[in-house]
Amino acid sequence: MELVKLKSGSILEHKESYSRVVALDNWIFMSLTSGRDFATRIMPATTLEQARNAMKNVEGALAAVDCSLADVVRRRIFITRQEDVPDVMAYMGEVFRGVDPASCVSCGPLGGPEYLFEIEVTAYRGAGALAVKNLSISL
């Protein structure tokens, strides 16, 4: 078994001593990821654009550990403004269509006023290639 700790070059990863991704065997745990462009340090002005940028960051980090969005089994989404939830979640529905991970959406303040969206995912390498048994229940 191998433990891999991936850094993305974020200033905060070094300052606060954490990894963008920790991969333990086939489990992939990703830290809360914003929509900041790590190369330019630019943060988009809208929640939807931050979500799009964040997903690029997520996909890049997953690819670095031989994983993809198809392998995501859980997502946690944080949106600061409730009025942005419908548009952002419609976009998330497009991104995760067919993957259907367990999900949590929360609204509230994040690490600073410029942060409008952040996402954290857990993946299992190879999950996207497994046969799926879909069940439905009535609650």
Side-chain angles (χ1 to χ4, degrees):
M1 191 178 306
E2 182 177 47
L3 181 65
V4 175
K5 295 183 180 184
L6 174 74
K7 303 281 188 175
S8 68
S10 165
I11 295 166
L12 293 178
E13 290 170 0
H14 176 72
K15 181 180 178 183
E16 298 173 3
S17 189
Y18 71 92
S19 300
R20 175 69 34 214
V21 167
V22 174
L24 177 60
D25 196 22
N26 287 321
W27 282 105
I28 313 299
F29 302 94
M30 186 174 297
S31 294
L32 202 56
T33 301
S34 74
R36 183 177 306 281
D37 181 315
F38 290 122
T40 65
R41 304 293 305 147
I42 293 173
M43 180 73 87
T46 71
T47 306
L48 188 55
E49 286 303 312
Q50 285 191 21
R52 287 188 174 120
N53 244 26
M55 292 312 302
K56 289 178 190 172
N57 294 337
V58 166
E59 288 183 89
L62 288 172
V65 293
D66 196 29
C67 213
S68 74
L69 288 179
D71 298 317
V72 172
V73 296
R74 182 181 181 110
R75 68 183 183 195
R76 292 183 181 116
I77 296 171
F78 301 87
I79 303 169
T80 59
R81 299 188 303 228
Q82 285 185 333
E83 62 269 20
D84 293 333
V85 171
D87 288 340
V88 171
M89 293 312 298
Y91 168 68
M92 288 290 119
E94 294 170 18
V95 170
F96 286 99
R97 183 84 50 227
V99 178
D100 303 331
S103 184
C104 168
V105 179
S106 181
C107 293
L110 293 168
E114 71 276 22
Y115 294 95
L116 304 175
F117 174 91
E118 292 193 83
I119 185 169
E120 173 187 288
V121 302
T122 302
Y124 188 84
R125 193 180 294 117
L130 296 174
V132 176
K133 180 179 181 179
N134 289 303
L135 303 174
S136 294
I137 60 171
S138 296
L139 299 176

